[in-house]
Amino acid sequence: MDVSLFFPIAGLITLFSAYLIWSSVLKGETSHDTRFESLLMTLQILATLFTLSGIVLLQPITSHDIHFTLVTAAATATLFVQVMYLFGLLRHGIQGLGLFLLPVIAILLLVIPVLPEGGSSSSIETTSILHSSHLLTSMLAYAVLTMTAFHAIMHLLLDQALKQKRIHPVIQAMPPLVKLEKLMLTLLHWSVWLIALAILTGLVWQWVDFSQFALFTHKILLALISFAVLSWLLHHQRKAAWHGRRTSQWILVAYCLMILAYFGVHLIKAWLH
């Protein structure tokens, strides 16, 4: 099978999973039916395996280094998100998250085959274990922050609905506000630590391999600003100075900065190449 078909197949399976969840919610059916949960879990395992197979067939990892392009980076970050969603289904039964997350994952998987490789200018060949560790840590940080951002979106929607006293079936499918905020803050903590580790491994790699720091690049500057925003949020949360709504808004700002730090700029460069 053509490697370019693996990602669309995973996308279609994910899109079908999203349809099942939306259909169940809009019909007012319970999403805690054992057969429904088993079907959803099976579909997501299949989608994740197809994504993993597509990445493996792209051969981003050789015996000497990791060869990263915009396609492999997007696919790897998407795979991490899929795995975390699967873990969430097993651990928390967070099907409500799938209402918003699964359609986005499906769209990403469907467009991955048409993303531009952009030639050598948009590809990265790692030069050391430190460089490889930095890339993989960065992709994991993106994935965790993505989950944090979607929890923030749900938090804003649920908070607004409760204030307006308009409880739509979609709102009812979400976790309780307190649980949702707790999950969001837990993911926020992990995001801060992973982004810090990604920045640290990047700086150590630069110093070991090049004996200098390239601090004034768009990627480093945007990542540092995003890290500063998220750290600032944690500081205010520890002081209980802010409510969850403002925290959710700033999480989305930091997420947009992190997307621009790699995918946004590299996508533009690849298309212009």
Side-chain angles (χ1 to χ4, degrees), residues 173-248:
M174 296 183 191
L177 187 63
V178 174
K179 181 180 179 180
L180 187 58
E181 186 167 337
K182 183 178 179 181
L183 286 170
M184 182 180 72
L185 293 177
T186 299
L187 288 166
L188 176 59
H189 277 83
W190 278 105
S191 297
V192 170
W193 282 109
L194 285 169
I195 293 172
L197 185 59
I199 293 172
L200 179 62
T201 53
L203 293 175
V204 172
W205 157 63
Q206 289 178 359
W207 182 256
V208 171
D209 284 16
F210 307 107
S211 299
Q212 63 180 3
F213 296 125
L215 293 176
F216 299 104
T217 64
H218 67 270
K219 184 168 69 173
I220 295 295
L221 288 175
L222 288 172
L224 286 172
I225 294 171
S226 180
F227 173 71
V229 169
L230 294 173
S231 300
W232 180 49
L233 287 179
L234 282 183
H235 172 69
H236 280 281
Q237 282 297 320
R238 290 193 183 99
K239 293 171 58 179
W242 280 2
H243 295 292
R245 183 173 181 82
R246 185 175 294 182
T247 300
S248 299

Side-chain angles (χ1 to χ4, degrees), residues 12-118:
L12 290 174
I13 294 173
T14 304
L15 197 60
F16 181 62
S17 299
Y19 165 76
L20 290 178
I21 296 178
W22 274 96
S23 178
S24 174
V25 168
L26 294 177
K27 289 178 181 177
E29 298 174 355
T30 176
S31 60
H32 298 290
D33 180 79
T34 304
R35 289 179 298 177
F36 181 84
E37 291 181 347
S38 298
L39 175 60
L40 183 60
M41 181 67 66
T42 301
L43 289 171
Q44 285 310 291
I45 290 174
L46 282 174
T48 303
L49 288 175
F50 269 105
T51 304
L52 177 61
S53 299
I55 294 172
V56 171
L57 291 175
L58 285 173
Q59 298 181 332
I61 302 177
T62 68
S63 58
H64 304 288
D65 56 23
I66 296 179
H67 181 73
F68 249 55
T69 63
L70 185 62
V71 170
T72 52
T76 302
T78 303
L79 176 66
F80 284 149
V81 173
Q82 288 177 292
V83 171
M84 282 189 285
Y85 180 66
L86 270 175
F87 179 78
L89 283 175
L90 285 169
R91 186 78 180 271
H92 305 290
I94 49 174
Q95 295 177 19
L97 178 62
L99 287 166
F100 309 99
L101 182 63
L102 291 184
V104 174
I105 291 177
I107 292 171
L108 287 172
L109 289 168
L110 290 171
V111 302
I112 280 176
V114 299
L115 287 176
E117 292 286 353

